Amino acid sequence: MLTKVNGQLMLKETPYNVFKRLVQIWIPAFSSLYFGLSGIWDLPASEQVVGTCALIATFLGASITVSSNHYEKSGAAYDGQIVVTEAPEGSRMFSLELDGDPDDIPDKEKVTFKVADAPPQPPQIEDFSHEEDV
């Protein structure tokens, strides 16, 4: 259920998606349903059930947020990067750097790239050496 990517502990994709759906849809839906039905049918402990649902949703929501943040920071969310380089005359040049095997791209549903500035270039050193006339 958990995996480590670049030293960061995070949820694997399937449990992450399940928890996300629980937090966003199913727990609030169940909580609302129980609260409404408890008023109509006089079901027991409506405040306790709704409160428990809220606590579970909050805990799971915090867990998937931490996992999502670790995933973003790890770089695993990206298939490569688009490097932006300032070119002469104020124009820009864009280059695509792909992580992994390009043959894997057709098997993917989507490909995600991070935009990055080009690393600074070392300054150009002009050669001022010259031969003296002797």
Side-chain angles (χ1 to χ4, degrees), residues 7-109:
Q8 296 290 331
L9 192 62
M10 61 192 78
L11 290 168
K12 290 184 180 180
E13 185 177 3
T14 300
Y16 174 86
N17 290 334
V18 168
F19 289 156
K20 187 174 177 182
R21 303 275 291 173
L22 280 170
V23 168
Q24 291 179 336
I25 297 169
W26 296 111
I27 294 175
F30 172 77
S31 178
S32 297
L33 177 66
Y34 191 87
F35 185 75
L37 290 177
S38 70
I40 296 168
W41 295 100
D42 205 23
L43 298 175
S46 64
E47 288 182 23
Q48 290 85 349
V49 171
V50 171
T52 300
C53 288
L55 290 170
I56 292 170
T58 301
F59 175 77
L60 291 176
S63 299
I64 64 174
T65 299
V66 168
S67 182
S68 178
N69 289 342
H70 286 176
Y71 183 67
E72 285 290 323
K73 288 178 184 176
S74 75
Y78 304 104
D79 295 297
Q81 59 185 357
I82 299 172
V83 180
V84 181
T85 307
E86 295 294 329
E89 301 94 34
S91 62
R92 291 185 179 146
M93 184 172 67
F94 301 91
S95 60
L96 183 64
E97 296 179 357
L98 182 65
D99 297 337
D101 188 356
D103 292 333
D104 293 340
I105 291 177
D107 299 330
K108 295 184 176 207
E109 185 175 317

